[in-house]
């Protein structure tokens, strides 16, 4: 679209890419921002590629619980009086009293998902589902040629495309599944992120021999699930460590997820940042909640008492190769103990091998050249989560997630989303106010969705 064609087009203060918990939390922070009045709203719209709201749906296994307190919801740490708090949701669901009687800080993932769906329903006028953002392009509207607007290209589920225009974008597209090199997912080889839909596509009686690769939370939860759901099946856990390690959620270690830890990480020395990772990686990566470890060990011990075995743990073992042919899946395991290899025939193989971050350059394309990178090739990010431009830009690109190198361990988690979203909303509003003061008039804003 040419610049003249855009004269009539709405210009949002913010377009959010992805509508997971991070950008939902931002939608709420913008709505509740003191500067957002009916006369002069902070205008925003969000694009989500899923056809409806969903948060890691394929891992909504029975009995799995949240790894954070219910108070680390979409809003409470920023605004305890928010109507989008988990407590508000409980009240609206007539379950507040029962929740308190239950005396548990960690709801099931099912319940937290229901909370998020409830919040998403309250924000439905802010989001277009089935809409994948494919690129972000800068546009210079002012005379001096400096980009001051962003064109966001969107591909809708029905194949149509569109463009939205904004002064800022907030990229919050989450993580992508990580598979071992040369291993491709298919109907019998699954990544944990697609687990339930792939599992339900199979006839359970045909799954007589299954294996789960990895020693993180996803692997342990799926191993327990398969063991319980397939009482006739041999279940193998292929774990690279000697045994599952516990996720440290004790109070002192948990402080790494406090809002204050972000400042200490961001402004700390390289040595301090390194210490965060060296001492506290085991709060989140390749670790498992103690109750799940105990549940698995109990099943294994019960088998020893009964004298029959169908739950097998291959420790100090990594997958080196997968061969597929029709219904047959053969996996090659290498023992780290003595380097011997072993081949197994399986009906289904689950890789709970974790996730990678997504480089925002995928969406920014050539525009990415306008942003600074550090010596390790990572984007430089301001404390307010705005990408640092090579030279002054009137428009802003913010990240929610993908900032572990700059802002620390909570970047990919829920712990800090309420506070982080508030900081991003403050930054966007402050820059809008500065622009308005410079120009002497409120800048044009949108009133409805694209
Ligand atoms: P999230 O991944 O949730 O959302 C990103 C959204 O962007 C997705 O909905 C995606 O469809 C959309 N999207 C991607 N590309 C797009 C594009 N180009 N255009 C439009 N939309 C696009 N953390 C924690 O603190 N406590 C916990 O209990 C858990 N539990 C947990 C369970 C499981 C199974 C996993 C895999 C992870 C967790 N996590 C967690 C970590 C997890 O990263 C976190 O809970 C949130 O999902 C982070 O929210 P985001 O909105 O940042 O990403
Ligand atoms: P993860 O913690 O990154 O664990 C991945 C595991 O796969 C690691 O043990 C890794 O071992 C192993 N692995 C990788 N390649 C392998 C190979 N070729 N052979 C054998 N093992 C291999 O991933 P995750 O368990 O999916 O957890 C990701 C995030 O989701 C975490 O934040 C977690 O807390 C969260 N989560 C939360 C819940 C919940 O809330 N209930 C449930 C699931 C996940 P190495 O480290 O040695 O490579």
């Amino acid at each position: 679209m040419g610049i003249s064609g855009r004269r009539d087009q709405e210009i949002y203060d913010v377009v959010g890419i992805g509508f997971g918990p991070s950008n939902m939390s931002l939608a709420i922070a913008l709505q509740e921002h003191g500067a957002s009045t009916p006369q002069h709203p902070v205008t925003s719209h969000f694009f989500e590629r899923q056809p409806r709201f969903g948060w890691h749906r394929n891992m909504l296994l029975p009995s799995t619980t949240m790894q954070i307190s219910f108070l680390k919801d979409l809003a409470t740490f920023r605004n305890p009086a928010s109507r989008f708090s988990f407590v508000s949701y409980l009240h609206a669901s007539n379950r507040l009293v029962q929740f308190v009687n239950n005396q548990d800080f960690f709801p099931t993932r099912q319940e937290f998902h229901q909370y998020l769906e409830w919040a998403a329903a309250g924000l439905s006028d802010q989001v277009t589902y089935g809409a994948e953002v494919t690129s972000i392009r800068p546009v210079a509207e002012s005379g001096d040629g400096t980009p001051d607007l962003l064109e966001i290209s969107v591909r809708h589920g029905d194949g149509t495309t569109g463009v939205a225009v904004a002064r800022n974008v907030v990229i919050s597209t989450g993580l992508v599944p990580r598979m071992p090199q040369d291993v491709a997912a298919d109907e019998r080889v699954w990544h944990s992120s697609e687990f339930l839909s792939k599992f339900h596509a199979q006839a359970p009686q045909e799954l007589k021999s299954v294996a789960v690769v990895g020693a993180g939370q996803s692997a342990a939860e799926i191993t327990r699930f398969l063991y319980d759901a397939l009482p006739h099946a041999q279940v193998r856990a292929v774990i690279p460590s000697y045994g599952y390690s516990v996720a440290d959620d004790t109070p002192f270690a948990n402080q790494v997820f406090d809002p204050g830890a972000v400042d200490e990480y961001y402004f700390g020395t390289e040595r301090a940042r390194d210490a965060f990772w060296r001492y506290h990686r085991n709060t989140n990566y390749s670790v498992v909640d103690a109750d799940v470890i105990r549940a698995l060990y109990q099943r294994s011990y019960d088998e020893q008492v009964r004298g029959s075995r169908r739950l097998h743990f291959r420790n100090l073992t990594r997958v080196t190769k997968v061969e597929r042919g029709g219904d047959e899946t053969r996996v090659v395991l290498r023992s780290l103990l003595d380097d011997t290899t072993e081949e197994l025939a399986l009906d289904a193989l689950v890789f709970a091998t974790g996730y990678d971050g997504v480089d925002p350059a995928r969406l920014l394309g050539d525009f990415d050249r306008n942003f600074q990178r550090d010596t390790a090739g990572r984007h430089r990010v301001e404390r307010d989560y705005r990408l640092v431009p090579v030279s002054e830009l009137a428009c802003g690109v913010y990240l929610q997630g993908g900032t572990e190198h700059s802002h620390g361990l909570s970047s990919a988690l829920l712990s800090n989303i309420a506070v982080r979203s508030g900081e991003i909303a403050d930054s966007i509003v402050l820059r809008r106010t500065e622009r308005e003061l410079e120009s002497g008039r409120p800048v044009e804003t949108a009133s409805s969705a694209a």
Side-chain angles (χ1 to χ4, degrees):
M1 170 182 299
I3 288 176
S4 55
R6 206 180 33 255
R7 262 182 217 299
D8 305 326
Q9 185 162 10
E10 296 156 350
I11 298 170
Y12 293 100
D13 289 316
V14 195
V15 157
I17 305 175
F19 203 59
S22 299
N23 266 352
M24 288 173 70
S25 178
L26 177 66
I28 296 165
L30 291 167
Q31 203 176 91
E32 294 176 353
H33 201 284
S36 190
T37 60
Q39 301 77 35
H40 192 25
V42 182
T43 57
S44 59
H45 196 74
F46 294 82
F47 293 100
E48 167 56 52
R49 72 177 170 198
Q50 295 186 85
R52 63 190 167 124
F53 176 78
W55 175 64
H56 306 306
R57 274 183 191 275
N58 281 316
M59 281 295 289
L60 287 180
L61 305 173
S63 310
T64 54
T65 55
M66 294 299 293
Q67 297 191 297
I68 46 157
S69 156
F70 69 93
L71 291 169
K72 291 187 171 180
D73 59 24
L74 297 169
T76 298
F77 272 31
R78 178 186 52 78
N79 174 17
S82 171
R83 82 172 180 87
F84 287 100
S85 69
F86 189 79
V87 170
S88 267
Y89 153 75
L90 288 172
H91 187 258
S93 313
N94 273 327
R95 236 178 23 248
L96 182 55
V97 173
Q98 293 83 343
F99 182 84
V100 172
N101 283 342
N102 201 37
Q103 298 187 20
D104 196 339
F105 259 44
F106 303 95
T108 60
R109 294 196 57 244
Q110 289 281 358
E111 186 176 21
F112 205 76
H113 197 276
Q114 282 176 23
Y115 156 63
L116 293 174
E117 282 181 311
W118 168 86
L123 298 163
S124 56
D125 59 333
Q126 296 263 308
V127 53
T128 305
Y129 289 101
E132 180 174 12
V133 171
T134 51
S135 67
I136 302 165
R137 208 173 69 84
V139 183
E141 200 185 44
S142 60
D144 66 1
T146 317
D148 49 4
L149 291 179
L150 298 167
E151 282 187 354
I152 298 105
S153 300
V154 181
R155 185 169 51 224
H156 296 277
D158 61 4
T160 60
T161 57
V163 173
V165 182
R167 298 191 186 280
N168 300 283
V169 294
V170 180
I171 302 177
S172 183
T173 49
L175 303 166
V176 289
R178 184 196 305 139
M179 295 287 274
Q181 221 183 341
D182 300 328
V183 177
D186 62 23
E187 73 280 6
R188 289 297 176 99
V189 177
W190 316 330
H191 185 266
S192 56
S193 58
E194 49 185 6
F195 176 69
L196 278 177
S197 56
K198 288 286 174 80
F199 176 77
H200 289 308
Q202 304 293 324
Q205 66 277 9
E206 282 180 16
L207 299 177
K208 298 188 191 80
S209 178
V210 297
V212 182
V213 183
Q217 184 72 18
S218 299
E221 287 182 0
I222 291 173
T223 304
R224 179 179 61 174
F225 172 85
L226 286 172
Y227 184 78
D228 295 349
L230 303 173
H232 55 279
Q234 299 293 313
V235 178
R236 290 184 169 77
V238 179
I239 56 180
S241 52
Y242 197 72
Y244 298 105
S245 288
V246 72
D248 186 350
D249 68 345
T250 52
F252 288 106
N254 211 47
Q255 292 178 130
V256 295
F257 302 119
D258 289 357
V262 176
D263 278 331
E264 281 161 330
Y265 189 96
Y266 188 88
F267 296 111
T269 60
E270 203 51 56
R271 274 192 4 246
R273 278 199 279 272
D274 184 54
F276 269 91
W277 287 106
R278 198 148 38 89
Y279 291 110
H280 302 295
R281 206 181 151 74
N282 67 343
T283 51
N284 185 47
Y285 295 95
S286 309
V287 287
V288 182
D289 284 349
D291 60 330
V292 184
I293 296 178
R294 290 199 186 288
L296 276 174
Y297 198 84
Q298 186 67 52
R299 282 161 176 74
S300 173
Y301 184 74
D302 288 348
E303 286 195 337
Q304 290 180 44
V305 173
R306 284 198 304 271
S308 67
R309 280 221 109 136
R310 62 181 191 88
L311 178 58
H312 312 274
F313 296 93
R314 299 292 165 107
N315 68 356
L316 296 175
T317 301
R318 296 187 84 87
V319 168
T320 56
K321 198 168 164 196
V322 177
E323 284 169 359
R324 290 279 293 117
D327 280 353
E328 198 172 89
T329 304
R330 301 189 81 76
V331 61
V332 179
L333 306 179
R334 179 179 294 278
S335 164
L336 304 177
L337 263 185
D338 51 14
D339 256 351
T340 53
T341 57
E342 181 193 358
E343 211 173 292
L344 286 178
L346 298 163
D347 300 313
L349 175 59
V350 188
F351 282 95
T353 41
Y355 295 82
D356 289 318
V358 198
D359 191 330
R362 268 168 54 170
L363 285 175
L364 295 170
D366 287 346
F367 185 37
D368 188 56
R369 285 204 293 263
N370 290 6
F371 299 101
Q372 293 184 28
R373 293 196 178 237
D374 64 18
T375 49
R378 302 164 306 191
H379 280 108
R380 287 192 198 280
V381 191
E382 311 261 19
R383 175 61 184 82
D384 62 6
Y385 301 94
R386 191 175 186 261
L387 287 185
V388 181
V390 172
S391 56
E392 193 43 46
L393 278 182
C395 49
V397 175
Y398 292 79
L399 300 184
Q400 292 229 66
T403 57
E404 281 178 321
H405 62 291
S406 51
H407 292 69
L409 277 76
S410 58
S411 293
L413 301 175
L414 300 175
S415 324
N416 196 41
I417 57 173
V419 172
R420 180 175 70 193
S421 295
E423 289 168 347
I424 293 174
D426 284 346
S427 167
I428 287 168
V429 171
L430 178 70
R431 285 169 186 275
R432 180 177 85 166
T433 308
E434 284 170 356
R435 254 196 334 270
E436 289 173 358
L437 287 174
E438 270 171 31
S439 68
R441 64 182 168 82
V443 288
E444 183 194 344
T445 52
S447 54
S448 62

